[in-house]
Tab-separated table of all heavy atoms in Angstrom:
chain	number	residue	atom	x	y	z
A	97	SER	N	-32.230	394.448	255.130
A	97	SER	CA	-33.648	394.088	255.201
A	97	SER	C	-33.829	392.831	256.045
A	97	SER	O	-33.045	391.893	255.989
A	97	SER	CB	-34.225	393.878	253.808
A	97	SER	OG	-33.670	392.717	253.231
A	98	ALA	N	-34.907	392.845	256.813
A	98	ALA	CA	-35.178	391.713	257.696
A	98	ALA	C	-36.028	390.651	257.001
A	98	ALA	O	-36.000	389.493	257.383
A	98	ALA	CB	-35.879	392.194	258.963
A	99	SER	N	-36.772	391.039	255.986
A	99	SER	CA	-37.672	390.076	255.353
A	99	SER	C	-37.153	389.660	253.983
A	99	SER	O	-36.478	390.416	253.292
A	99	SER	CB	-39.070	390.681	255.215
A	99	SER	OG	-39.035	391.739	254.288
A	100	THR	N	-37.516	388.462	253.609
A	100	THR	CA	-37.109	387.965	252.302
A	100	THR	C	-37.934	388.584	251.183
A	100	THR	O	-37.478	388.644	250.046
A	100	THR	CB	-37.231	386.434	252.245
A	100	THR	OG1	-38.580	386.069	252.549
A	100	THR	CG2	-36.284	385.788	253.222
A	101	GLU	N	-39.158	389.048	251.516
A	101	GLU	CA	-39.985	389.688	250.499
A	101	GLU	C	-39.361	391.002	250.027
A	101	GLU	O	-39.360	391.312	248.837
A	101	GLU	CB	-41.410	389.954	251.020
A	101	GLU	CG	-42.228	388.707	251.256
A	101	GLU	CD	-41.975	388.091	252.637
A	101	GLU	OE1	-41.427	388.793	253.514
A	101	GLU	OE2	-42.312	386.925	252.815
A	102	VAL	N	-38.850	391.767	250.976
A	102	VAL	CA	-38.194	393.031	250.620
A	102	VAL	C	-36.958	392.758	249.770
A	102	VAL	O	-36.709	393.430	248.765
A	102	VAL	CB	-37.830	393.831	251.894
A	102	VAL	CG1	-36.991	395.048	251.556
A	102	VAL	CG2	-39.074	394.222	252.647
A	103	ALA	N	-36.199	391.756	250.153
A	103	ALA	CA	-35.004	391.397	249.385
A	103	ALA	C	-35.373	390.944	247.972
A	103	ALA	O	-34.664	391.254	247.009
A	103	ALA	CB	-34.226	390.301	250.108
A	104	ALA	N	-36.482	390.230	247.847
A	104	ALA	CA	-36.922	389.781	246.524
A	104	ALA	C	-37.321	390.963	245.651
A	104	ALA	O	-36.971	391.017	244.468
A	104	ALA	CB	-38.083	388.801	246.657
A	105	TRP	N	-38.062	391.928	246.226
A	105	TRP	CA	-38.464	393.107	245.447
A	105	TRP	C	-37.254	393.953	245.059
A	105	TRP	O	-37.208	394.495	243.948
A	105	TRP	CB	-39.473	393.948	246.225
A	105	TRP	CG	-40.853	393.410	246.106
A	105	TRP	CD1	-41.558	392.739	247.061
A	105	TRP	CD2	-41.675	393.454	244.953
A	105	TRP	NE1	-42.780	392.369	246.575
A	105	TRP	CE2	-42.881	392.790	245.275
A	105	TRP	CE3	-41.526	393.966	243.668
A	105	TRP	CZ2	-43.926	392.648	244.366
A	105	TRP	CZ3	-42.573	393.827	242.768
A	105	TRP	CH2	-43.744	393.178	243.118
A	106	ILE	N	-36.305	394.056	245.945
A	106	ILE	CA	-35.086	394.815	245.611
A	106	ILE	C	-34.352	394.131	244.466
A	106	ILE	O	-33.877	394.778	243.534
A	106	ILE	CB	-34.190	394.970	246.858
A	106	ILE	CG1	-34.869	395.893	247.869
A	106	ILE	CG2	-32.827	395.514	246.480
A	106	ILE	CD1	-34.181	395.947	249.213
A	107	GLY	N	-34.287	392.817	244.511
A	107	GLY	CA	-33.639	392.072	243.434
A	107	GLY	C	-34.362	392.219	242.106
A	107	GLY	O	-33.734	392.343	241.057
A	108	ILE	N	-35.689	392.235	242.160
A	108	ILE	CA	-36.475	392.402	240.928
A	108	ILE	C	-36.222	393.764	240.309
A	108	ILE	O	-36.204	393.915	239.084
A	108	ILE	CB	-37.980	392.192	241.227
A	108	ILE	CG1	-38.252	390.716	241.494
A	108	ILE	CG2	-38.844	392.696	240.086
A	108	ILE	CD1	-39.646	390.428	242.008
Side-chain angles (χ1 to χ4, degrees):
S97 69
S99 67
T100 57
E101 292 85 17
V102 173
W105 278 106
I106 292 171
I108 288 171

